[in-house]
Amino acid sequence: MLAAAHFLRHHQDPVLITLPADHYIEGDDEFREAVNKAYLQARKERCVVTLGIKPTRPETAYGYIKIHGDTFEDVCLVEKFTEKPDANTAQSWVSKPHYYWNSGIMACVRAGYNSSGNGKTTGIQGTSKYFN
């Protein structure tokens, strides 16, 4: 938080990226590419961008992202977030193509994290080969 406060104070409109410390990430180049896409999308759309991970199993300890619609490209609008669903819900989502685990990795500009933002959240799709 201290670093974010510094950048907000000393830079016009920085893109801030949050990276939880408890992730094991494989595929350095692919991960850097995904984070760069998130950075560019946050800058362009002035929104919050979160990286999603395609579920490999039902998981009640993770939050889920549902992307908007059935069109799958690298960047999708997020329809909703669900924090830690029950076992039956997680089981029903694991095979559906529009549900992803929420990695907690996000990029945003000031407009994305205060009340003056446009309210849009987009997601960059990832797979378990990038995150585990």
Side-chain angles (χ1 to χ4, degrees), residues 59-77:
E59 184 58 68
T60 60
Y62 302 157
Y64 282 73
I65 301 166
K66 180 181 182 188
I67 62 170
H68 182 72
D70 291 327
T71 305
F72 302 115
E73 298 177 16
D74 281 349
V75 179
C76 308
L77 284 176

Side-chain angles (χ1 to χ4, degrees), residues 20 22 26 32 41 48 63 67 80 88 93 105 116-117 128 130:
D22 62 348
E26 293 180 354
R32 276 192 290 275
Q41 187 72 14
V48 177
I67 62 170
K80 75 175 186 175
N88 289 335
W93 288 349
I105 299 172
S116 66
S128 60
Y130 306 142

Side-chain angles (χ1 to χ4, degrees), residues 20-131:
D22 62 348
H23 287 34
Y24 172 75
I25 300 172
E26 293 180 354
D28 293 349
D29 291 338
E30 293 91 348
F31 177 68
R32 276 192 290 275
E33 182 180 335
V35 171
N36 189 53
K37 284 181 185 179
Y39 168 86
L40 294 172
Q41 187 72 14
R43 168 71 60 209
K44 177 182 172 189
E45 296 293 329
R46 303 190 53 70
C47 64
V48 177
V49 180
T50 185
L51 275 62
I53 304 164
K54 192 62 188 157
T56 57
R57 65 186 181 280
E59 184 58 68
T60 60
Y62 302 157
Y64 282 73
I65 301 166
K66 180 181 182 188
I67 62 170
H68 182 72
D70 291 327
T71 305
F72 302 115
E73 298 177 16
D74 281 349
V75 179
C76 308
L77 284 176
V78 172
E79 185 173 311
K80 75 175 186 175
F81 289 88
T82 302
E83 188 61 31
K84 300 178 182 172
D86 62 50
N88 289 335
T89 302
Q91 179 64 48
S92 73
W93 288 349
V94 75
S95 62
K96 293 186 178 174
H98 47 280
Y99 283 91
Y100 290 80
W101 287 330
N102 181 8
S103 70
I105 299 172
M106 299 182 191
C108 63
V109 294
R110 181 185 303 267
Y113 51 80
N114 70 25
S115 60
S116 66
N118 62 18
K120 291 194 301 186
T121 300
T122 59
I124 305 280
Q125 298 173 27
T127 68
S128 60
K129 82 175 188 181
Y130 306 142
F131 315 99

